[in-house]
Amino acid sequence: MGDKYLTLSELNLEGQLLGFVGGEPGKYKYLQLAVPSGNVEIKLPKELRRSLSLSLVPGQQIRVFAHSKLDSHTSKIKIKAYRVTPMDGCPNQDLPPQPKARIMVCQKSGCLKRGGKELLSELEKTLSDRNLLDKVIIEYTSCQKCCSSAPNWVLEIGNKKYKNISTDAIASLLESHLS
């Protein structure tokens, strides 16, 4: 979707399939979903278009796993599916596995000199104290191109990214995300 789109969040929508739109049969670009708050149009990736138009019928209850993105030029939110499943079985069987959160810490000399080593030590201690160390992957990166705000690091939970927040805030975000 290019640089003009900013990923907002990952969505898990459940609702009734209203139908497919945009294009010819087998190549529909969107599906329409009725959810409690109204109707939503969701873009389908090319690899799902044919199989979904053949396997799903309007009126069927489905679950859509998608990403919401903000068009920075028009300020419109677009939703693009990456997985669509019928809701016939147990609701939890189709959920994707919970990915580990990642913390990417800059290891270039500028960041290390400006407190990067201390930050990493404090971060590991805070995560260990709260029993979160095994639920996070800490990666050491090269320059993150924000040298004026060193030490630099990024917390990535799903599709959300948080930059240079306190270690207590990291632990709180992880606890709320992983619980």
Side-chain angles (χ1 to χ4, degrees):
M1 286 192 167
D3 289 335
K4 73 177 191 171
Y5 290 94
L6 171 70
T7 300
L8 296 176
S9 64
E10 193 165 305
L11 302 173
N12 179 356
L13 300 169
E14 295 179 2
Q16 183 179 19
L17 175 66
L18 297 175
F20 296 92
V21 293
E24 56 192 69
K27 296 182 180 179
Y28 294 118
K29 292 184 180 182
Y30 299 90
L31 67 79
Q32 290 181 323
L33 186 67
V35 295
S37 59
N39 296 342
V40 181
E41 193 166 272
I42 301 168
K43 186 167 184 175
L44 296 170
K46 288 180 182 178
E47 62 271 11
L48 292 181
R49 292 176 185 171
R50 182 162 178 77
S51 64
L52 290 177
S53 67
L54 296 174
S55 64
L56 298 177
V57 293
Q60 187 173 12
Q61 291 293 318
I62 60 172
R63 178 177 291 118
V64 178
F65 300 95
H67 299 286
S68 65
K69 295 182 180 268
L70 175 68
D71 184 333
S72 59
H73 298 297
T74 64
S75 298
K76 290 187 179 180
I77 295 176
K78 298 194 181 243
I79 301 172
K80 185 172 182 180
Y82 61 87
R83 185 172 166 197
V84 179
T85 58
M87 292 179 49
D88 298 334
C90 174
N92 291 333
Q93 75 185 24
D94 294 325
L95 293 176
Q98 186 79 300
K100 283 191 173 185
R102 292 185 336 160
I103 300 173
M104 296 162 282
V105 182
C106 179
Q107 293 295 289
K108 294 301 274 186
S109 61
C111 283
L112 291 176
K113 289 176 187 173
R114 290 180 159 177
K117 289 180 186 177
E118 295 82 8
L119 169 83
L120 193 54
S121 174
E122 183 182 341
L123 181 61
E124 288 174 343
K125 181 184 180 315
T126 302
L127 294 174
S128 178
D129 290 347
R130 296 189 183 191
N131 295 323
L132 295 170
L133 202 53
D134 60 334
K135 297 177 180 167
V136 176
I137 298 169
I138 297 177
E139 293 181 4
Y140 304 104
T141 69
S142 60
C143 186
Q144 294 180 4
K145 309 290 187 215
C146 299
C147 300
S148 62
S149 62
N152 288 298
W153 53 281
V154 176
L155 167 63
E156 186 179 89
I157 302 175
N159 288 332
K160 295 183 180 179
K161 292 184 180 183
Y162 304 90
K163 296 181 179 184
N164 297 345
I165 57 176
S166 73
T167 54
D168 287 331
I170 284 182
S172 297
L173 281 168
L174 289 170
E175 285 173 338
S176 64
H177 174 73
L178 299 172
S179 61

